[in-house]
Amino acid sequence: MQLPAVGFRRRFRVSGLRWRGLRGPHAAGNYEGPGGRRENIFPTAQKEGIFVLWSSRKLEFLVGRERFIPVQVPALVERIAADPDLLPDEKEDFRRLACLLQARFHFEFLETAEKLSELFDPFNPDRDTLPLKSLTPPELEQHFHDFRRALEEVLIRSNYTKLSRQQLERCLEAENPWGVRVIVDLSRFKDIDVYYRGVREWVEPYQPWFSFFPLRTKRRQFARIAVLVRLPAKQTTPPPSVIQPAPDQVLLKLFKDVYIEELKMTSPEIRVRIRLWDKIQIIVSMITTVITSFMRLVMAAAINPILFFTVLTGCVTAAIAAIRNFISCRIRYMERLGANLYHKLVASNLAAVARLLATAEAEEVKEALLAYYILYKYSDRDLSAEDIDQLAEEWLTQQFGLAEVDFEIDDALRKLAEKRLIETRELSYAAAEETAGWNGQVQQAPVASIESASNWASLSPVTGHKHGSEGHKKIIYKAYDLRSALRRLDEWWDNYYMYANLGCAAFNHLANGPRARVATEGQTVRPDLEPPA
């Protein structure tokens, strides 16, 4: 079945479906691309006879492949440990490595969690404690922008994608002919940021009123949606004892399984709009009631005054029933809206921050551990970033059936470099071309360790290429063995806190004396730094 061709010049909307009145091939899913080039938006849908909403044709900017790895860390560790190529002691070392990596990332995210909690405290609508400190309006503004930047970093590390203002408006244009129709006025918000993760696509039947046969319609759904909204402060008169002005209302919400047409329902301020068919039903019912009542009143007045008042009472009752029908329709819409939000809301405010931090931490561990496993398993090969990326995605497909995951190799290599678990080597392309297969022997340049941000910035992790005065180079990556990796991670813990160097065990004593005493020379002496008598 071919897509219906529209030969009208005008643009019209019917039951939430938006068609553009174009002639010829434009009506079959074509549009004017850059430079006037005609491009087909849904060639596959056209071949399969799928009816495409016009609003869906404008959402091709959405990322199809997902960077999020939908596997829990323990499951990933056990699947790695089940590799038959690993020796029993190597499997145990991998479990220890995963434990150390989790502890390291958890410790690093602890500082981020405390920072986000402190920045969100002035705006937290759920706070039941005293504020941390009083802030002036400029300080509140700076607090919000700092929180916004820190939250965006956490969302990016959680593999969310931010919608620009233009993209958000295009998503909000999508109409839902199946359920509640709402309107969102973005000008009512001082700031609004929307992030999404994962876009699912499928085809389902839809029965429009203008067709006798159901049409196959392409639908899309966001797996996760994060919404950060700042609303103007409510204009209320504070008590005389309150000096600090009320801050703007800041809301953070996480939703799941949100259809693109229902994205506007995640907004805190919406206007419910009744569907066209419901409007027609209400209007027809009211017109019929008015005409019938008028005719009855005229006939009753001509026959008997008592009958006139009896019919008039019936007309008033019918009018009240029509009004009740209209009100019940709005209530039904609001109930449907509330049910959608109740089942799709995941977390709010600080609970949403905690959930995002846990997700980001888990993603960091999974990416780093999987990249290290690939480098260790194929340590006899000279792997570039592209090779590691391909092997990791193939492994995820074989082990978990995750063919749509786009492994974030650049971020994974960056994390391993920061933890001092990998090093790089440079190969000239002339030497690399002489290599036969994966196991060829190539003359390698001296090892270049990646332990500083400056060294890492000079590389292109995605392509594994480096341009310099010596020509075009290929960057390969080598991982330390398991025992060395465990030792290097443990060294970081040993050197992070140096309080054990503040004297020895002989200096330990109870704090039951004066905290300090002044020596004869006028210098302050701490008795806790002297051995007990």
Side-chain angles (χ1 to χ4, degrees), residues 116-129 131 140 147 247-252 348-351 353:
L116 283 172
S117 299
E118 179 182 354
L119 293 175
F120 189 64
D121 180 75
F123 313 100
N124 185 11
D126 305 326
R127 186 184 65 228
D128 55 357
T129 58
L140 284 172
F147 173 77
D248 295 334
Q249 186 180 9
V250 178
L251 302 175
L252 176 62
S348 301
N349 302 325
L350 274 185
V353 172

PDB file of all heavy atoms in Angstrom, residues 116-129 131 140 147 247-252 348-351 353:
ATOM      1  N   LEU A 116      26.052  18.951  44.100  1.00  0.00           N
ATOM      2  CA  LEU A 116      24.712  19.127  43.543  1.00  0.00           C
ATOM      3  C   LEU A 116      23.681  19.368  44.644  1.00  0.00           C
ATOM      4  O   LEU A 116      22.783  20.202  44.490  1.00  0.00           O
ATOM      5  CB  LEU A 116      24.330  17.904  42.712  1.00  0.00           C
ATOM      6  CG  LEU A 116      24.953  17.797  41.323  1.00  0.00           C
ATOM      7  CD1 LEU A 116      24.633  16.452  40.714  1.00  0.00           C
ATOM      8  CD2 LEU A 116      24.451  18.919  40.415  1.00  0.00           C
ATOM      9  N   SER A 117      23.798  18.659  45.750  1.00  0.00           N
ATOM     10  CA  SER A 117      22.856  18.857  46.860  1.00  0.00           C
ATOM     11  C   SER A 117      22.967  20.262  47.431  1.00  0.00           C
ATOM     12  O   SER A 117      21.954  20.895  47.754  1.00  0.00           O
ATOM     13  CB  SER A 117      23.109  17.812  47.947  1.00  0.00           C
ATOM     14  OG  SER A 117      22.923  16.502  47.454  1.00  0.00           O
ATOM     15  N   GLU A 118      24.187  20.755  47.542  1.00  0.00           N
ATOM     16  CA  GLU A 118      24.383  22.106  48.068  1.00  0.00           C
ATOM     17  C   GLU A 118      23.839  23.164  47.106  1.00  0.00           C
ATOM     18  O   GLU A 118      23.201  24.135  47.528  1.00  0.00           O
ATOM     19  CB  GLU A 118      25.868  22.346  48.324  1.00  0.00           C
ATOM     20  CG  GLU A 118      26.180  23.744  48.851  1.00  0.00           C
ATOM     21  CD  GLU A 118      27.656  23.956  49.051  1.00  0.00           C
ATOM     22  OE1 GLU A 118      28.426  22.985  48.882  1.00  0.00           O
ATOM     23  OE2 GLU A 118      28.048  25.096  49.369  1.00  0.00           O
ATOM     24  N   LEU A 119      24.065  22.981  45.814  1.00  0.00           N
ATOM     25  CA  LEU A 119      23.583  23.966  44.845  1.00  0.00           C
ATOM     26  C   LEU A 119      22.069  23.943  44.708  1.00  0.00           C
ATOM     27  O   LEU A 119      21.442  24.980  44.449  1.00  0.00           O
ATOM     28  CB  LEU A 119      24.229  23.696  43.476  1.00  0.00           C
ATOM     29  CG  LEU A 119      25.739  23.929  43.373  1.00  0.00           C
ATOM     30  CD1 LEU A 119      26.249  23.499  42.003  1.00  0.00           C
ATOM     31  CD2 LEU A 119      26.080  25.395  43.614  1.00  0.00           C
ATOM     32  N   PHE A 120      21.455  22.780  44.882  1.00  0.00           N
ATOM     33  CA  PHE A 120      20.007  22.672  44.724  1.00  0.00           C
ATOM     34  C   PHE A 120      19.255  23.048  45.989  1.00  0.00           C
ATOM     35  O   PHE A 120      18.038  23.251  45.947  1.00  0.00           O
ATOM     36  CB  PHE A 120      19.653  21.240  44.312  1.00  0.00           C
ATOM     37  CG  PHE A 120      18.214  21.045  43.913  1.00  0.00           C
ATOM     38  CD1 PHE A 120      17.698  21.699  42.805  1.00  0.00           C
ATOM     39  CD2 PHE A 120      17.370  20.222  44.642  1.00  0.00           C
ATOM     40  CE1 PHE A 120      16.374  21.534  42.429  1.00  0.00           C
ATOM     41  CE2 PHE A 120      16.054  20.036  44.276  1.00  0.00           C
ATOM     42  CZ  PHE A 120      15.554  20.700  43.160  1.00  0.00           C
ATOM     43  N   ASP A 121      19.952  23.163  47.111  1.00  0.00           N
ATOM     44  CA  ASP A 121      19.284  23.387  48.391  1.00  0.00           C
ATOM     45  C   ASP A 121      18.411  24.641  48.400  1.00  0.00           C
ATOM     46  O   ASP A 121      17.282  24.599  48.901  1.00  0.00           O
ATOM     47  CB  ASP A 121      20.338  23.468  49.510  1.00  0.00           C
ATOM     48  CG  ASP A 121      19.713  23.688  50.866  1.00  0.00           C
ATOM     49  OD1 ASP A 121      19.152  22.732  51.425  1.00  0.00           O
ATOM     50  OD2 ASP A 121      19.763  24.839  51.359  1.00  0.00           O
ATOM     51  N   PRO A 122      18.837  25.808  47.872  1.00  0.00           N
ATOM     52  CA  PRO A 122      17.950  26.983  47.932  1.00  0.00           C
ATOM     53  C   PRO A 122      16.658  26.828  47.138  1.00  0.00           C
ATOM     54  O   PRO A 122      15.679  27.526  47.426  1.00  0.00           O
ATOM     55  CB  PRO A 122      18.824  28.100  47.334  1.00  0.00           C
ATOM     56  CG  PRO A 122      20.213  27.613  47.432  1.00  0.00           C
ATOM     57  CD  PRO A 122      20.131  26.132  47.283  1.00  0.00           C
ATOM     58  N   PHE A 123      16.633  25.922  46.152  1.00  0.00           N
ATOM     59  CA  PHE A 123      15.461  25.779  45.291  1.00  0.00           C
ATOM     60  C   PHE A 123      14.659  24.515  45.580  1.00  0.00           C
ATOM     61  O   PHE A 123      13.630  24.294  44.950  1.00  0.00           O
ATOM     62  CB  PHE A 123      15.898  25.745  43.819  1.00  0.00           C
ATOM     63  CG  PHE A 123      16.884  26.808  43.444  1.00  0.00           C
ATOM     64  CD1 PHE A 123      18.231  26.517  43.343  1.00  0.00           C
ATOM     65  CD2 PHE A 123      16.463  28.103  43.206  1.00  0.00           C
ATOM     66  CE1 PHE A 123      19.152  27.488  42.988  1.00  0.00           C
ATOM     67  CE2 PHE A 123      17.371  29.087  42.856  1.00  0.00           C
ATOM     68  CZ  PHE A 123      18.708  28.779  42.751  1.00  0.00           C
ATOM     69  N   ASN A 124      15.121  23.702  46.510  1.00  0.00           N
ATOM     70  CA  ASN A 124      14.502  22.402  46.732  1.00  0.00           C
ATOM     71  C   ASN A 124      13.098  22.578  47.316  1.00  0.00           C
ATOM     72  O   ASN A 124      12.948  23.018  48.467  1.00  0.00           O
ATOM     73  CB  ASN A 124      15.368  21.576  47.686  1.00  0.00           C
ATOM     74  CG  ASN A 124      14.837  20.160  47.860  1.00  0.00           C
ATOM     75  OD1 ASN A 124      13.945  19.723  47.136  1.00  0.00           O
ATOM     76  ND2 ASN A 124      15.380  19.446  48.831  1.00  0.00           N
ATOM     77  N   PRO A 125      12.045  22.238  46.579  1.00  0.00           N
ATOM     78  CA  PRO A 125      10.683  22.409  47.120  1.00  0.00           C
ATOM     79  C   PRO A 125      10.338  21.373  48.178  1.00  0.00           C
ATOM     80  O   PRO A 125       9.337  21.540  48.889  1.00  0.00           O
ATOM     81  CB  PRO A 125       9.795  22.255  45.873  1.00  0.00           C
ATOM     82  CG  PRO A 125      10.585  21.380  44.961  1.00  0.00           C
ATOM     83  CD  PRO A 125      12.029  21.717  45.198  1.00  0.00           C
ATOM     84  N   ASP A 126      11.133  20.319  48.301  1.00  0.00           N
ATOM     85  CA  ASP A 126      10.849  19.259  49.271  1.00  0.00           C
ATOM     86  C   ASP A 126      11.708  19.376  50.525  1.00  0.00           C
ATOM     87  O   ASP A 126      11.702  18.458  51.356  1.00  0.00           O
ATOM     88  CB  ASP A 126      11.095  17.881  48.623  1.00  0.00           C
ATOM     89  CG  ASP A 126      10.293  17.701  47.345  1.00  0.00           C
ATOM     90  OD1 ASP A 126       9.176  18.216  47.277  1.00  0.00           O
ATOM     91  OD2 ASP A 126      10.804  17.042  46.414  1.00  0.00           O
ATOM     92  N   ARG A 127      12.440  20.458  50.677  1.00  0.00           N
ATOM     93  CA  ARG A 127      13.339  20.582  51.828  1.00  0.00           C
ATOM     94  C   ARG A 127      12.526  20.736  53.113  1.00  0.00           C
ATOM     95  O   ARG A 127      11.591  21.540  53.192  1.00  0.00           O
ATOM     96  CB  ARG A 127      14.234  21.812  51.648  1.00  0.00           C
ATOM     97  CG  ARG A 127      15.312  21.951  52.718  1.00  0.00           C
ATOM     98  CD  ARG A 127      16.119  23.231  52.556  1.00  0.00           C
ATOM     99  NE  ARG A 127      15.275  24.393  52.771  1.00  0.00           N
ATOM    100  CZ  ARG A 127      15.220  25.432  51.980  1.00  0.00           C
ATOM    101  NH1 ARG A 127      15.937  25.466  50.867  1.00  0.00           N
ATOM    102  NH2 ARG A 127      14.433  26.465  52.253  1.00  0.00           N
ATOM    103  N   ASP A 128      12.891  19.961  54.138  1.00  0.00           N
ATOM    104  CA  ASP A 128      12.238  20.039  55.441  1.00  0.00           C
ATOM    105  C   ASP A 128      13.221  20.451  56.527  1.00  0.00           C
ATOM    106  O   ASP A 128      12.984  20.212  57.714  1.00  0.00           O
ATOM    107  CB  ASP A 128      11.581  18.703  55.802  1.00  0.00           C
ATOM    108  CG  ASP A 128      12.563  17.542  55.753  1.00  0.00           C
ATOM    109  OD1 ASP A 128      13.741  17.770  55.391  1.00  0.00           O
ATOM    110  OD2 ASP A 128      12.170  16.406  56.071  1.00  0.00           O
ATOM    111  N   THR A 129      14.345  21.057  56.135  1.00  0.00           N
ATOM    112  CA  THR A 129      15.343  21.538  57.077  1.00  0.00           C
ATOM    113  C   THR A 129      15.601  23.021  56.808  1.00  0.00           C
ATOM    114  O   THR A 129      15.127  23.589  55.820  1.00  0.00           O
ATOM    115  CB  THR A 129      16.664  20.753  56.932  1.00  0.00           C
ATOM    116  OG1 THR A 129      17.147  20.892  55.577  1.00  0.00           O
ATOM    117  CG2 THR A 129      16.453  19.281  57.236  1.00  0.00           C
ATOM    118  N   PRO A 131      17.612  26.249  55.559  1.00  0.00           N
ATOM    119  CA  PRO A 131      18.534  26.411  54.419  1.00  0.00           C
ATOM    120  C   PRO A 131      19.986  26.469  54.891  1.00  0.00           C
ATOM    121  O   PRO A 131      20.283  26.864  56.032  1.00  0.00           O
ATOM    122  CB  PRO A 131      18.081  27.729  53.784  1.00  0.00           C
ATOM    123  CG  PRO A 131      17.357  28.450  54.874  1.00  0.00           C
ATOM    124  CD  PRO A 131      16.721  27.402  55.733  1.00  0.00           C
ATOM    125  N   LEU A 140      21.658  33.716  44.178  1.00  0.00           N
ATOM    126  CA  LEU A 140      20.699  32.673  43.774  1.00  0.00           C
ATOM    127  C   LEU A 140      20.795  32.392  42.278  1.00  0.00           C
ATOM    128  O   LEU A 140      20.732  31.230  41.847  1.00  0.00           O
ATOM    129  CB  LEU A 140      19.280  33.109  44.132  1.00  0.00           C
ATOM    130  CG  LEU A 140      18.865  33.017  45.597  1.00  0.00           C
ATOM    131  CD1 LEU A 140      17.513  33.673  45.804  1.00  0.00           C
ATOM    132  CD2 LEU A 140      18.830  31.561  46.054  1.00  0.00           C
ATOM    133  N   PHE A 147      24.302  24.906  39.295  1.00  0.00           N
ATOM    134  CA  PHE A 147      23.587  23.628  39.381  1.00  0.00           C
ATOM    135  C   PHE A 147      23.231  23.113  37.998  1.00  0.00           C
ATOM    136  O   PHE A 147      23.332  21.910  37.721  1.00  0.00           O
ATOM    137  CB  PHE A 147      22.321  23.806  40.224  1.00  0.00           C
ATOM    138  CG  PHE A 147      21.423  22.602  40.233  1.00  0.00           C
ATOM    139  CD1 PHE A 147      21.735  21.500  41.003  1.00  0.00           C
ATOM    140  CD2 PHE A 147      20.268  22.555  39.454  1.00  0.00           C
ATOM    141  CE1 PHE A 147      20.912  20.381  41.012  1.00  0.00           C
ATOM    142  CE2 PHE A 147      19.445  21.458  39.454  1.00  0.00           C
ATOM    143  CZ  PHE A 147      19.771  20.352  40.243  1.00  0.00           C
ATOM    144  N   PRO A 247      13.021  32.364  46.350  1.00  0.00           N
ATOM    145  CA  PRO A 247      13.722  32.003  45.117  1.00  0.00           C
ATOM    146  C   PRO A 247      12.754  31.482  44.071  1.00  0.00           C
ATOM    147  O   PRO A 247      11.593  31.162  44.351  1.00  0.00           O
ATOM    148  CB  PRO A 247      14.676  30.899  45.581  1.00  0.00           C
ATOM    149  CG  PRO A 247      13.992  30.267  46.749  1.00  0.00           C
ATOM    150  CD  PRO A 247      13.234  31.383  47.430  1.00  0.00           C
ATOM    151  N   ASP A 248      13.246  31.421  42.859  1.00  0.00           N
ATOM    152  CA  ASP A 248      12.450  30.827  41.785  1.00  0.00           C
ATOM    153  C   ASP A 248      12.193  29.357  42.076  1.00  0.00           C
ATOM    154  O   ASP A 248      12.984  28.681  42.743  1.00  0.00           O
ATOM    155  CB  ASP A 248      13.173  30.967  40.445  1.00  0.00           C
ATOM    156  CG  ASP A 248      13.318  32.418  40.030  1.00  0.00           C
ATOM    157  OD1 ASP A 248      12.490  33.231  40.462  1.00  0.00           O
ATOM    158  OD2 ASP A 248      14.264  32.732  39.280  1.00  0.00           O
ATOM    159  N   GLN A 249      11.089  28.870  41.561  1.00  0.00           N
ATOM    160  CA  GLN A 249      10.749  27.462  41.743  1.00  0.00           C
ATOM    161  C   GLN A 249      11.475  26.632  40.694  1.00  0.00           C
ATOM    162  O   GLN A 249      11.302  26.846  39.486  1.00  0.00           O
ATOM    163  CB  GLN A 249       9.240  27.260  41.627  1.00  0.00           C
ATOM    164  CG  GLN A 249       8.789  25.841  41.942  1.00  0.00           C
ATOM    165  CD  GLN A 249       7.289  25.668  41.825  1.00  0.00           C
ATOM    166  OE1 GLN A 249       6.606  26.562  41.343  1.00  0.00           O
ATOM    167  NE2 GLN A 249       6.779  24.535  42.249  1.00  0.00           N
ATOM    168  N   VAL A 250      12.292  25.699  41.150  1.00  0.00           N
ATOM    169  CA  VAL A 250      13.075  24.828  40.274  1.00  0.00           C
ATOM    170  C   VAL A 250      12.609  23.392  40.490  1.00  0.00           C
ATOM    171  O   VAL A 250      12.579  22.905  41.626  1.00  0.00           O
ATOM    172  CB  VAL A 250      14.589  24.949  40.551  1.00  0.00           C
ATOM    173  CG1 VAL A 250      15.366  23.983  39.658  1.00  0.00           C
ATOM    174  CG2 VAL A 250      15.061  26.378  40.308  1.00  0.00           C
ATOM    175  N   LEU A 251      12.251  22.733  39.410  1.00  0.00           N
ATOM    176  CA  LEU A 251      11.751  21.356  39.462  1.00  0.00           C
ATOM    177  C   LEU A 251      12.603  20.482  38.562  1.00  0.00           C
ATOM    178  O   LEU A 251      12.962  20.878  37.444  1.00  0.00           O
ATOM    179  CB  LEU A 251      10.292  21.285  39.018  1.00  0.00           C
ATOM    180  CG  LEU A 251       9.282  22.125  39.803  1.00  0.00           C
ATOM    181  CD1 LEU A 251       7.905  22.035  39.160  1.00  0.00           C
ATOM    182  CD2 LEU A 251       9.225  21.684  41.258  1.00  0.00           C
ATOM    183  N   LEU A 252      12.919  19.300  39.051  1.00  0.00           N
ATOM    184  CA  LEU A 252      13.649  18.294  38.273  1.00  0.00           C
ATOM    185  C   LEU A 252      12.837  17.004  38.299  1.00  0.00           C
ATOM    186  O   LEU A 252      12.540  16.466  39.378  1.00  0.00           O
ATOM    187  CB  LEU A 252      15.046  18.060  38.848  1.00  0.00           C
ATOM    188  CG  LEU A 252      15.880  16.967  38.184  1.00  0.00           C
ATOM    189  CD1 LEU A 252      16.149  17.300  36.718  1.00  0.00           C
ATOM    190  CD2 LEU A 252      17.192  16.753  38.924  1.00  0.00           C
ATOM    191  N   SER A 348      11.741  12.667  41.470  1.00  0.00           N
ATOM    192  CA  SER A 348      11.619  14.125  41.443  1.00  0.00           C
ATOM    193  C   SER A 348      12.685  14.752  42.316  1.00  0.00           C
ATOM    194  O   SER A 348      13.054  14.201  43.373  1.00  0.00           O
ATOM    195  CB  SER A 348      10.232  14.569  41.941  1.00  0.00           C
ATOM    196  OG  SER A 348       9.204  14.014  41.150  1.00  0.00           O
ATOM    197  N   ASN A 349      13.192  15.895  41.867  1.00  0.00           N
ATOM    198  CA  ASN A 349      14.074  16.761  42.642  1.00  0.00           C
ATOM    199  C   ASN A 349      15.306  16.008  43.142  1.00  0.00           C
ATOM    200  O   ASN A 349      16.009  15.395  42.344  1.00  0.00           O
ATOM    201  CB  ASN A 349      13.274  17.409  43.769  1.00  0.00           C
ATOM    202  CG  ASN A 349      12.089  18.211  43.216  1.00  0.00           C
ATOM    203  OD1 ASN A 349      12.183  18.808  42.144  1.00  0.00           O
ATOM    204  ND2 ASN A 349      10.972  18.196  43.915  1.00  0.00           N
ATOM    205  N   LEU A 350      15.584  16.000  44.459  1.00  0.00           N
ATOM    206  CA  LEU A 350      16.814  15.368  44.949  1.00  0.00           C
ATOM    207  C   LEU A 350      16.825  13.867  44.697  1.00  0.00           C
ATOM    208  O   LEU A 350      17.890  13.275  44.485  1.00  0.00           O
ATOM    209  CB  LEU A 350      16.986  15.648  46.447  1.00  0.00           C
ATOM    210  CG  LEU A 350      17.680  16.963  46.812  1.00  0.00           C
ATOM    211  CD1 LEU A 350      17.886  17.048  48.317  1.00  0.00           C
ATOM    212  CD2 LEU A 350      19.018  17.095  46.094  1.00  0.00           C
ATOM    213  N   ALA A 351      15.657  13.236  44.728  1.00  0.00           N
ATOM    214  CA  ALA A 351      15.604  11.807  44.393  1.00  0.00           C
ATOM    215  C   ALA A 351      16.024  11.583  42.942  1.00  0.00           C
ATOM    216  O   ALA A 351      16.696  10.601  42.621  1.00  0.00           O
ATOM    217  CB  ALA A 351      14.199  11.265  44.633  1.00  0.00           C
ATOM    218  N   VAL A 353      18.134  13.552  41.318  1.00  0.00           N
ATOM    219  CA  VAL A 353      19.586  13.765  41.306  1.00  0.00           C
ATOM    220  C   VAL A 353      20.311  12.499  41.749  1.00  0.00           C
ATOM    221  O   VAL A 353      21.299  12.076  41.120  1.00  0.00           O
ATOM    222  CB  VAL A 353      19.950  14.950  42.215  1.00  0.00           C
ATOM    223  CG1 VAL A 353      21.466  15.069  42.367  1.00  0.00           C
ATOM    224  CG2 VAL A 353      19.394  16.247  41.649  1.00  0.00           C
TER     225      VAL A 353
END
